[in-house]
Amino acid sequence: MDFNFTEEQEMVRDGLSRLVREQYDWETRRSAVESDAGWRPEIWAQLAELGILGMPFSEEDGGFGGGAVDAMIVMEEFGKGLVVEPFLPTVVCAGGFLKHAGTDAQREEHIGGIVDGSRVYAFAYAEPRGRYDLADLQTTAKKDGDGYVLNGHKAVVVGAPWASHLVVTARTSGGQRERDGVSVFVVANDAEGVVRRDYPTVDGRRASEVYFENVSVPADALIGEEGGALPLVEQVADEAVAALCAEACGAMKVAHAMTVDYSRQRKQFGVPIGKFQVLQHRMVDMFTEYEQSVSMTYLATLKLDAPEKERKRTASAAKVRIGQAARFVGQEAIQIHGGMGMTDELAIGSYFKRLTILSSEFGDVDHHMKRHIALA
Amino acid sequence: MNLEFTADELAFRDEVRSFIEENYPKHLGDAGMREDMSPEDMVAWHKILGEKGWSVPSWPEQYGGTGWTPTQRYIWLEENARVNAFMPLPFGVSMVGPVIYTFGSEEQKERHLPGIRSGDVWWCQGYSEPGAGSDLASLKTTAVRDGDHYVINGQKTWTTLAQYADWGFFLCRTDPDAAKPQEGISFILIDMKTPGVEVRPIKLIDGGYEVNETWLTDVRVPVENLVGEENKGWTYAKFLLAHERSGIAGVARSKRAVEKLREIAGKELLDGEPLIEDLDFARKVSQLEIDLAALEITELRTLAGEQAGKGPGPESSILKIKGTEIQQRLTELTLEAVGNYGAPMYGQIEDSGSNQYPIGPDYAQHSAATYFNMRKTSIYGGSNEIQRNIITKMILGL
Ligand SMILES: Cc1cc2nc3c(=O)[nH]c(=O)nc-3n(C[C@H](O)[C@H](O)[C@H](O)COP(=O)(O)OP(=O)(O)OC[C@H]3O[C@@H](n4cnc5c(N)ncnc54)[C@H](O)[C@@H]3O)c2cc1C
């Protein structure tokens, strides 16, 4: 048993931590989030330069041979700074599909662009009526000559306004919620027939409603097996869950530290409010929730290569635990800040909002609790 | 003991129901749940009620109250909640109004009560300061007597909707040397157009601007704007806080919001079935209804006590704690119900002008903003920690 990080991993953490500290202070983040673009391509370029975007890919593919633990480290540091740049959809999700199921030609075509930062991806999986069920798909891909024609509507596709490419789940056969018949495609974001409505999200990112109106894609847009891609989608979603858990840990750590700090400075009734025992215990509970979340994040990350059932059940366990913790930590952070917690002037509100939305991304507590029960 | 309405009460219910149906402005729609109201919309119903003579039901009849029994007042709120009406803001009708008719001079009553009743004069509450929140008695804004004026200096904050206010009621320190901080405070009415009053907006986490910083620099206020006696302001403020708390349970509104939540969860799907049929979700909605039923009867018991002549006591802290927890939980479950469509920042989405490419169902709009916004309810009006401290002291005697 070993819970230590390697020297390289510590270096990655230090480098990212410096980048976040020096270039991602909350005010700078806020002006970027409120700008027209909504993100900072120059940060993306630096991430490429630091090797972060290429980390989880094999050396043959032009990457640095890292794994899930490396992604965890990255996401935790991003969580601390509330980084909005689309590492999760691009590297974890699109990268995951390519790593697990991309043909040589597909890896060659896409991974280089991810590693050098020239290509950005969004993962279009959710649908307006599908809630968190990855197989609940009304988007269709019909065979058309050698290629396919896509039709449908994907909901709240995070990062789509910034993306050069979309990874899309669609039905090539089967009924709306059947396990069989799910396929995955990579589509250029500017392909004819892709209609987007872009908007900001409450947690500082950008997303889109993406409509596919007779979008033609070639045969090699298909990643993985036609009609048999659900297990692949589930695997990538579990990897995304583990990454989100790590991000949550980073955000909770900072939210907790800010709260403790505020309770030291804020005086009422002649004493720092941190002297009130009811608030002390509340902050202890926040800390405990954070520690439990770190443990579950490690567990889920280390089990990503476990047999399918164990992997799924552990990912769901982690998402349940972190969803509960994120709710508690976020709400209490605001409460203990009093009126100041309600303002847009302090960073704490942004942490609360990110923790709120993050809790339901790739499935909320109820969704993952059901999955955990079903796999018992 | 009996929970049934009498025949008279049922007749009363029918009367107010048809009045509301006929007169509640249609364009306000489900206003109680909207995040984007104009100031005109916020006073629209108040003004109509003012004309009808129903804007201040709980006031004594001599000042324009309706003389309704607590049961009738309960029915009144229930009936308004059926259409989710946007009720008159509390600052005039529930806060400063009662202080003025209880402690104010005849002149003050004549001058201010009519505008509060009619909704023509907008009031704000200037209590909190950057350094004085829960510990309100530590407030530093000073009022110094200069001939027949007070000269007021200081900074207030969190002043709700002060950007629209015509008048404000402020707590100011008139005796800096008083033995206890509570003893040197006065309750003063300030015309917000007086030179030296400056209101600066504060943006909140839901993106809205409902509170402000209010800066007071050499503001000259005629001494006749002092309410009651100098240095007795704390007594009036406490009187008012008790009033504020008894209304804060928001039972009728929460009942309507539960219905709305059920509607939403009936439209959302999980595995192709309505979400409300999912046991996990249904259990949470039922839990809310159960808590709300307990709160409702607790409030009615408190009201009955008031009818029997007992003022709202420390029990009203229970109403505040449970009422706000339920309101918060409601918004949280609504956000949960709408799934992925909680994330869009609806306040910043430009209308595309067509329905061709909608962003989520209408009922999902602002669900996150509302959830964020409602975190305020356990902070303001005496935070829920402070309420628990009150119960600890006043009821448990610890
Ligand atoms: C949206 C909004 C609208 C408002 N509108 C108005 C208005 O119109 N007019 C007005 O005058 N004020 C208004 N307020 C101010 C409100 O009354 C204060 O926010 C409230 O009194 C809490 O004060 P504070 O924000 O300074 O928090 P603090 O007093 O600094 O409290 C911070 C935290 O410490 C806790 N705490 C403090 N003391 C104790 C204790 N003794 N024991 C245990 N815990 C403690 C609190 O519960 C809270 O969790 C508004 C506030 C908000 C958020």
Side-chain angles (χ1 to χ4, degrees):
Chain A
M1 205 170 301
D2 177 11
F3 286 115
N4 294 309
F5 297 106
T6 64
E7 211 168 295
E8 292 85 58
Q9 288 169 337
E10 292 292 0
M11 272 167 57
V12 168
R13 187 189 290 285
D14 289 347
L16 276 179
S17 158
R18 191 170 333 111
L19 183 133
V20 168
R21 205 172 46 243
E22 289 171 3
Q23 296 178 58
Y24 227 94
D25 61 279
W26 184 70
E27 286 295 341
T28 312
R29 172 190 183 269
R30 175 154 78 171
S31 47
V33 160
E34 289 173 0
S35 69
D36 285 345
W39 69 314
R40 284 186 289 163
E42 69 270 22
I43 292 283
W44 197 247
Q46 283 185 60
L47 293 174
E49 229 163 85
L50 285 170
I52 302 295
L53 302 181
M55 212 168 47
F57 300 104
S58 70
E59 278 158 36
E60 302 88 83
D61 286 337
F64 303 96
V69 173
D70 302 270
M72 179 183 88
I73 292 169
V74 173
M75 289 301 288
E76 199 182 333
E77 293 307 313
F78 283 180
K80 289 179 190 166
L82 299 179
V83 171
V84 299
E85 278 68 25
F87 180 85
L88 180 90
T90 302
V91 179
V92 178
C93 297
F97 281 111
L98 291 161
K99 266 185 356 181
H100 302 313
T103 60
D104 289 347
Q106 285 171 329
R107 295 206 311 283
E108 164 123 29
E109 145 111 40
H110 296 283
I111 292 180
I114 294 179
V115 175
D116 71 17
S118 60
R119 286 187 169 195
V120 173
Y121 292 69
F123 183 22
Y125 63 97
E127 298 200 356
R129 306 297 282 155
R131 210 166 176 80
Y132 305 116
D133 182 351
L134 299 168
D136 194 335
L137 301 176
Q138 289 181 293
T139 300
T140 56
K142 286 217 168 65
K143 198 94 193 177
D144 179 42
D146 274 351
Y148 300 86
V149 176
L150 271 62
N151 277 288
H153 170 189
K154 292 291 180 177
V156 198
V157 184
V158 173
W162 306 324
S164 56
H165 293 77
L166 306 171
V167 177
V168 188
T169 55
R171 266 204 181 279
T172 36
S173 63
Q176 192 181 335
R177 282 177 295 281
E178 267 174 44
R179 286 191 63 84
D180 281 341
V182 176
S183 304
V184 177
F185 299 89
V186 197
V187 183
N189 203 352
D190 59 2
E192 201 178 325
V194 174
V195 179
R196 284 196 340 258
R197 252 192 103 185
D198 300 346
Y199 46 83
T201 63
V202 292
D203 55 348
R205 297 170 304 156
R206 297 290 162 98
S208 314
E209 297 304 292
V210 184
Y211 295 83
F212 296 91
E213 298 181 338
N214 295 317
V215 178
S216 290
V217 295
D220 65 3
L222 177 77
I223 301 190
E225 194 189 328
E226 182 189 297
L230 189 63
L232 171 66
V233 175
E234 289 174 330
Q235 183 182 356
V236 170
D238 284 341
E239 288 164 359
V241 162
L244 274 172
C245 288
E247 183 187 353
C249 288
M252 281 192 270
K253 183 174 188 158
V254 172
H256 178 255
M258 282 177 168
T259 306
V260 172
D261 206 42
Y262 187 78
S263 80
R264 277 206 190 94
Q265 290 166 24
R266 173 67 173 170
K267 283 195 177 144
Q268 288 289 277
F269 304 99
V271 294
I273 58 171
K275 288 283 171 217
F276 299 125
Q277 202 164 48
V278 63
L279 300 190
Q280 290 173 347
H281 286 190
R282 213 85 68 68
M283 289 186 281
V284 169
D285 290 345
M286 289 165 78
F287 180 67
T288 308
E289 290 290 294
Y290 161 71
E291 284 294 336
Q292 301 287 85
S293 300
V294 171
S295 302
M296 286 307 272
T297 302
Y298 286 5
L299 184 64
T301 304
L302 294 171
K303 293 281 186 192
L304 284 175
D305 294 329
E308 187 178 357
K309 183 173 158 183
E310 191 181 355
R311 181 203 78 217
K312 286 182 175 177
R313 199 156 190 259
T314 315
S316 282
K319 194 68 175 28
V320 167
R321 196 63 204 80
I322 272 107
Q324 293 163 338
R327 166 180 187 259
F328 180 80
V329 171
Q331 291 183 352
E332 292 303 336
I334 298 298
Q335 182 67 21
I336 293 170
H337 274 79
M340 287 310 290
M342 290 298 301
T343 69
D344 198 43
E345 281 158 42
L346 288 195
I348 195 66
S350 302
Y351 284 85
F352 168 55
K353 289 190 268 189
R354 177 69 192 124
L355 285 169
T356 301
I357 296 304
L358 187 156
S359 308
S360 63
E361 275 182 276
F362 285 93
D364 62 8
V365 169
D366 277 11
H367 172 83
H368 283 286
M369 188 67 95
K370 284 179 179 24
R371 192 169 176 241
H372 192 262
I373 292 168
L375 291 164
Chain B
M1 249 193 245
N2 179 6
L3 284 171
E4 302 301 313
F5 291 138
T6 64
D8 283 352
E9 285 162 352
L10 288 174
F12 174 79
R13 187 192 66 189
D14 292 343
E15 184 194 351
V16 299
R17 184 174 293 181
S18 56
F19 177 79
I20 292 169
E21 264 161 26
E22 281 158 31
N23 294 283
Y24 188 70
K26 296 280 174 295
H27 78 276
L28 293 184
D30 226 355
M33 286 170 189
R34 263 170 47 199
E35 280 270 308
D36 56 342
M37 286 191 92
S38 69
E40 293 75 26
D41 283 351
M42 284 192 257
V43 291
W45 187 222
H46 188 163
K47 289 192 171 170
I48 292 166
L49 295 177
E51 273 172 35
K52 172 76 177 170
W54 284 359
S55 59
V56 290
S58 60
W59 289 15
E61 278 172 90
Q62 66 186 114
Y63 300 119
T66 50
W68 292 341
T69 62
T71 310
Q72 285 176 311
R73 265 147 55 196
Y74 165 82
I75 291 171
W76 170 243
L77 288 179
E78 283 279 307
E79 291 304 315
N80 275 282
R82 285 183 72 227
V83 300
N84 207 20
F86 190 89
M87 298 304 279
L89 292 164
F91 307 104
V93 299
S94 323
M95 296 185 182
V96 74
V99 171
I100 291 176
Y101 67 65
T102 311
F103 305 104
S105 65
E106 286 311 314
E107 260 172 13
Q108 286 169 341
K109 293 180 201 172
E110 252 164 56
R111 175 160 187 202
H112 294 299
L113 297 184
I116 296 175
R117 281 195 302 264
S118 67
D120 288 329
V121 180
W122 193 308
W123 284 83
C124 67
Q125 176 188 30
Y127 279 21
S128 306
E129 298 181 2
S134 297
D135 182 14
L136 185 58
S138 69
L139 61 90
K140 291 204 173 69
T141 296
T142 55
V144 177
R145 186 76 183 253
D146 177 28
D148 48 11
H149 281 78
Y150 286 109
V151 180
I152 300 181
N153 278 289
Q155 189 204 336
K156 295 292 177 181
T157 190
W158 313 124
T159 336
T160 298
L161 300 174
Q163 67 266 45
Y164 308 125
D166 303 299
W167 280 79
F169 51 101
F170 288 79
L171 291 182
C172 306
R173 192 161 294 289
T174 33
D175 180 4
D177 304 319
K180 283 190 185 165
Q182 288 85 344
E183 284 167 5
I185 294 171
S186 296
F187 193 105
I188 298 175
L189 311 178
I190 301 181
D191 181 341
M192 296 296 280
K193 282 180 284 299
T194 317
V197 178
E198 195 199 334
V199 172
R200 298 181 195 163
I202 299 175
K203 188 176 180 188
L204 293 187
I205 51 175
D206 62 344
Y209 292 91
E210 64 182 67
V211 296
N212 303 272
E213 295 178 351
T214 303
W215 297 72
L216 305 161
T217 314
D218 293 329
V219 179
R220 293 183 68 83
V221 178
V223 286
E224 63 254 29
N225 288 2
L226 171 75
V227 176
E229 287 176 51
E230 201 178 75
N231 298 330
K232 287 276 160 56
W234 190 252
T235 320
Y236 315 143
K238 269 178 48 182
F239 163 89
L240 181 161
L241 279 180
H243 265 259
E244 187 184 346
R245 263 170 223 148
S246 58
I248 217 156
V251 170
R253 214 174 339 115
S254 290
K255 278 163 73 173
R256 172 73 189 106
V258 174
E259 275 174 36
K260 182 104 186 172
L261 172 61
R262 281 194 172 280
E263 263 169 59
I264 291 173
K267 290 179 186 155
E268 284 291 317
L269 299 179
L270 191 154
D271 278 342
E273 302 292 331
L275 178 62
I276 195 64
E277 287 169 22
D278 170 56
L279 190 56
D280 290 334
F281 198 80
R283 192 185 291 278
K284 289 185 265 199
V285 179
S286 276
Q287 182 69 60
L288 249 177
E289 287 177 320
I290 293 163
D291 289 347
L292 192 52
L295 178 66
E296 179 168 28
I297 303 300
T298 309
E299 186 178 40
L300 289 172
R301 283 169 55 212
T302 312
L303 282 176
E306 257 179 78
Q307 197 166 12
K310 287 195 283 171
E315 295 82 5
S316 63
S317 291
I318 299 176
L319 302 181
K320 202 279 174 164
I321 294 170
K322 294 310 291 182
T324 54
E325 285 176 356
I326 288 169
Q327 289 163 37
Q328 291 179 334
R329 185 75 182 133
L330 265 163
T331 61
E332 187 173 18
L333 286 185
T334 305
L335 176 60
E336 190 176 320
V338 304
N340 293 307
Y341 281 116
M345 192 175 339
Y346 294 94
Q348 281 194 18
I349 298 173
E350 274 165 47
D351 196 350
S352 71
S354 91
N355 291 329
Q356 204 184 351
Y357 301 112
I359 300 175
D362 283 348
Y363 56 71
Q365 296 211 0
H366 307 295
S367 49
T370 308
Y371 166 64
F372 298 148
N373 182 273
M374 289 306 276
R375 303 315 302 172
K376 72 187 176 189
T377 63
S378 51
I379 293 169
Y380 69 20
S383 76
N384 286 12
E385 285 79 16
I386 294 298
Q387 304 296 341
R388 286 183 170 87
N389 288 349
I390 291 172
I391 297 175
T392 305
K393 243 206 208 142
M394 310 294 281
I395 301 182
L396 308 191
L398 293 172

